[in-house]
Amino acid sequence: MASAPDIVTYIGVPLAVLGVTPILYTSIRVLFTLRRIKHALKKSGLHAVTRGSLVSGMIEVELPRCSIAPLEREEPEYWTINLQPSHLKGGSWTQFHWNRIITGQRRYRLQYTEDLQEPQAEIDFEELMAFLLDRGAVPDAKGLHMLRLAGLWTPTGTSLLLSPDCSESVLKVSMPDDSDGILSLTLNWKKAWDLRDSASLPPSWMRLEVSHVESSEKVEEQATPEATSDKPFEEPENISQTPKDDPHLPEKLPQYTTQDPKPTSRSLRFHLASRYGSFKISAALWESSHAPTTLSPSITHLHATPINTWFPSAAIALGQLKGMALWTCHVPDSISALAAKDSIPCGVMVLLGLIDEKDAPAWATQYDPQEDGRASSERFFASVRRKQAESLLPAAVQMAARKARESEEFHAFSSESRMRMVRNQERAEKRDTEAVNSSRLESAVVAQAALTFLAKEDAKGPCNDVQEAAEKILFEMVLDEMVTVETCGILVRWQQWTERGGMNKEDLKALKEKTRYFCNAACLMGLFRLASVKEESSVALDMQECIRVWRKIRLG
């Protein structure tokens, strides 16, 4: 019979070993898991504090949380990708090089290597979008519209930006793991998508290019560097971004030197700065073979009211039609609505000589063109009959009858001439009244008629379409302050008569005196109309609203 010590030896010891086995297993698993976590952290280039509990099996990892911002555009690393990015969940932002600062620590408690993740980085949403658009990403219209409507309830995986070939998603909504009510996004980029470099036009910059210029001397006069001005350039209060504020605007504009080559007069680039939904021209540079030079045209006249509204709006519309990366800019709704209205009477177009009356709908009272001829014929035959009757009279009576007839004919002619002048003046006034009250034409028809008129006026070759004419007009507005003032003045008057319900005779008189500037304004209005039906216009609105709502986002 077994004794008590034997029972303890053969039964108690194995039971004790079995009781310790889970602790041993947990300890060994923690050691191996901790080793794998350290290896994963080292592979991802992360420095973290790790602690493991051999009893509870929990591992604590403290990782730094960063706030990031894009590098300067002139830095080579801005255009390259990180060859050793983090492969952990939440580390997709490490695919690029950033300016980063550590803002805190994030502690994770985990049991398995698969639970390891990197803290999401905080970044300004507008800077992120500008950076990715500069790298060549393309907005996803549906995704941005969904984000604008749904906000934090936007489905995970919704794409906001697409690759340059629109085949894959570059930026999409991710799970808000530790975002605390902040929008969480995931980044994806491939080296094959790097098709742009520092020579490419940055976002919010656009180019004006024409096939010929008016005068080289005029261009040289306008290409006066701002550095030579006695008074430093002062931007208006409503221009938000100075060169220091905009990541895509050089910190210091190039200064003019006498060794610099003469600027090409065929193209220039300028920057559109935004604030509270309005856009202003904050900088401009002449180009040579699409590369910026050190000369800057004078743009002070573009900052005056109302030019500072119409010129940037026309530039944005042109950029959208040319497919430039102006995704964060859009034509104001008031101008798009104005361009969509039929506001130019057909009679006015006839009086200005822009269209033939036979090509316009009936609008004026028609008069008998033979009316004056028949009256003249009647007077002539009446005079002939009186002369024949006078020839039958005695000589003494004949002389008195002839004098009476000539006096009567003179007074009748004078009276009829005055009546004819009054009648013609009344008919002209009535025609003007009928013209301003006639049926109105679409903006596209008015723009095409204006394009035809400008083609006849231009001795250096007509423009093929409204877009080309508008680009030429904008280029001329940069060079010539008078053209800018007069053209924008017509646009302001255009907006005024549309708001009050129609044109009046004063408006018609102004257009007769400035027909060419009216044609400039008509081409720009046609440009607004073309841009308002483009999808890019709604994309820009959605993107601006998303950027306004989500100032900061978490990228992981």
Side-chain angles (χ1 to χ4, degrees):
M1 183 175 179
S3 62
D6 294 335
I7 294 175
V8 172
T9 301
Y10 295 108
I11 298 177
V13 171
L15 289 176
V17 172
L18 289 176
V20 176
T21 300
I23 299 176
L24 296 176
Y25 170 77
T26 300
S27 300
I28 296 173
R29 181 178 61 80
V30 166
L31 293 176
F32 277 99
T33 302
L34 190 60
R35 183 174 180 274
R36 288 195 296 267
I37 288 176
K38 289 182 178 180
H39 177 73
L41 293 173
K42 183 179 180 180
K43 185 178 179 181
S44 299
L46 297 176
H47 300 282
V49 177
T50 57
R51 292 184 293 269
S53 175
L54 300 181
V55 177
S56 65
M58 299 299 297
I59 299 175
E60 290 186 355
V61 180
E62 290 186 1
L63 290 169
R65 184 186 292 279
C66 299
S67 179
I68 60 176
L71 301 174
E72 294 296 332
R73 198 171 187 269
E74 293 74 18
E75 298 184 30
E77 291 183 340
Y78 180 93
W79 301 101
T80 60
I81 61 174
N82 186 4
L83 299 179
Q84 294 182 339
S86 173
H87 300 284
L88 300 179
K89 179 182 177 182
S92 64
W93 58 273
T94 60
Q95 297 179 64
F96 293 109
H97 300 281
W98 307 93
N99 287 322
R100 67 175 76 180
I101 58 173
I102 298 177
T103 58
Q105 298 288 331
R106 178 72 168 87
R107 178 180 297 178
Y108 294 96
R109 295 174 59 85
L110 46 93
Q111 289 184 320
Y112 304 99
T113 309
E114 292 74 14
D115 297 333
L116 180 62
Q117 62 180 3
E118 185 171 351
Q120 295 176 327
E122 188 175 69
I123 185 173
D124 185 88
F125 194 20
E126 184 175 6
E127 292 184 356
L128 174 64
M129 297 294 278
F131 171 70
L132 295 178
L133 291 173
D134 196 16
R135 293 297 296 264
V138 179
D140 189 326
K142 295 181 179 179
L144 288 171
H145 189 66
M146 175 66 71
L147 177 62
R148 179 184 180 183
L149 296 179
L152 286 177
W153 289 270
T154 303
T156 301
T158 300
S159 176
L160 304 182
L161 295 179
L162 299 175
S163 60
D165 55 5
C166 298
S167 60
E168 298 184 39
S169 175
V170 170
L171 189 67
K172 60 184 179 180
V173 179
S174 63
M175 289 291 294
D177 293 329
D178 59 345
S179 295
D180 301 328
I182 302 177
L183 182 64
S184 181
L185 303 177
T186 299
L187 181 63
N188 176 41
W189 191 263
K190 295 182 180 179
K191 186 175 180 57
W193 297 339
D194 286 329
L195 305 177
R196 289 167 55 86
D197 53 28
S198 57
S200 303
L201 202 63
S204 299
W205 283 77
M206 73 165 293
R207 174 180 293 116
L208 291 179
E209 186 174 14
V210 294
S211 57
H212 58 268
V213 293
E214 295 182 359
S215 173
S216 59
E217 291 83 359
K218 186 174 185 179
V219 173
E220 291 181 11
E221 291 177 1
Q222 292 292 335
T224 304
E226 297 176 3
T228 62
S229 176
D230 295 333
K231 181 180 180 180
F233 173 72
E234 296 179 2
E235 293 195 2
E237 295 180 357
N238 53 5
I239 295 183
S240 64
Q241 292 181 338
T242 61
K244 185 183 297 184
D245 298 327
D246 186 2
H248 299 295
L249 192 62
E251 292 186 0
K252 187 177 182 181
L253 291 177
Q255 301 298 324
Y256 174 77
T257 60
T258 56
Q259 290 78 18
D260 289 334
K262 294 296 181 183
T264 176
S265 59
R266 295 184 64 247
S267 67
L268 61 90
R269 62 172 61 184
F270 54 86
H271 178 255
L272 288 162
S274 63
R275 182 177 185 180
Y276 304 128
S278 62
F279 302 91
K280 312 299 175 186
I281 308 300
S282 62
L285 293 172
W286 289 107
E287 289 186 333
S288 177
S289 300
H290 289 177
T293 66
T294 56
L295 289 179
S296 173
S298 175
I299 58 173
T300 54
H301 63 287
L302 301 180
H303 298 150
T305 304
I307 301 172
N308 57 2
T309 298
W310 290 104
F311 184 88
S313 299
I316 292 170
L318 178 64
Q320 291 178 352
L321 291 176
K322 294 180 67 175
M324 294 183 177
L326 298 177
W327 304 109
T328 58
C329 305
H330 73 281
V331 178
D333 295 337
S334 58
I335 295 181
S336 298
L338 176 64
K341 295 180 179 179
D342 302 338
S343 53
I344 303 298
C346 62
V348 172
M349 298 292 291
V350 174
L351 295 183
L352 295 178
L354 302 182
I355 61 176
D356 295 331
E357 189 162 4
K358 62 181 180 180
D359 298 331
W363 59 276
T365 301
Q366 299 298 323
Y367 300 98
D368 186 3
Q370 304 299 328
E371 180 180 357
D372 292 338
R374 285 196 298 269
S376 298
S377 297
E378 291 176 358
R379 290 194 303 271
F380 174 75
F381 288 118
S383 177
V384 170
R385 288 193 296 268
R386 293 185 65 177
K387 288 180 180 179
Q388 291 176 351
E390 291 173 1
S391 63
L392 301 176
L393 297 175
V397 179
Q398 185 178 357
M399 180 66 68
R402 186 175 69 252
K403 291 183 177 180
R405 176 182 56 81
E406 290 177 350
S407 176
E408 183 179 347
E409 288 180 351
F410 175 77
H411 289 296
F413 177 78
S414 299
S415 177
E416 187 175 352
S417 297
R418 288 193 298 269
M419 292 178 62
R420 185 185 301 112
M421 291 178 60
V422 173
R423 184 196 64 188
N424 291 340
Q425 184 177 359
E426 290 177 350
R427 288 183 177 181
E429 293 179 356
K430 183 178 179 181
R431 185 174 174 83
D432 289 347
T433 302
E434 292 175 337
V436 297
N437 294 320
S438 59
S439 58
R440 300 171 184 177
L441 300 177
E442 297 180 355
S443 299
V445 177
V446 176
Q448 191 61 41
L451 180 64
T452 304
F453 177 85
L454 293 176
K456 296 178 182 178
E457 295 284 320
D458 191 355
K460 297 185 178 181
C463 298
N464 297 323
D465 51 28
V466 173
Q467 177 179 326
E468 183 179 350
E471 184 168 11
K472 182 178 178 181
I473 292 169
L474 291 177
F475 193 91
E476 188 178 2
M477 290 172 70
V478 175
L479 297 179
D480 195 333
E481 182 176 356
M482 179 60 67
V483 174
T484 308
V485 172
E486 296 294 345
T487 302
C488 292
I490 296 296
L491 289 170
V492 171
R493 186 180 287 271
W494 192 322
Q495 189 175 37
Q496 290 174 348
W497 77 56
T498 302
E499 291 175 351
R500 67 170 176 257
M503 188 184 296
N504 56 32
K505 291 185 179 180
E506 293 182 0
D507 298 325
L508 177 58
K509 181 180 178 181
L511 297 187
K512 287 181 178 179
E513 296 173 352
K514 304 174 181 179
T515 303
R516 179 176 179 84
Y517 297 123
F518 168 72
C519 292
N520 287 352
C523 287
L524 296 183
M525 199 62 68
L527 185 74
F528 292 136
R529 179 57 178 165
L530 292 175
S532 64
V533 299
K534 291 275 290 185
E535 184 182 18
E536 285 80 357
S537 181
S538 60
V539 172
L541 286 172
D542 291 336
M543 183 177 295
Q544 274 198 314
E545 182 63 19
C546 292
I547 290 175
R548 185 189 68 82
V549 174
W550 307 105
R551 297 289 184 181
K552 297 285 186 178
I553 60 99
R554 295 282 174 83
L555 185 61

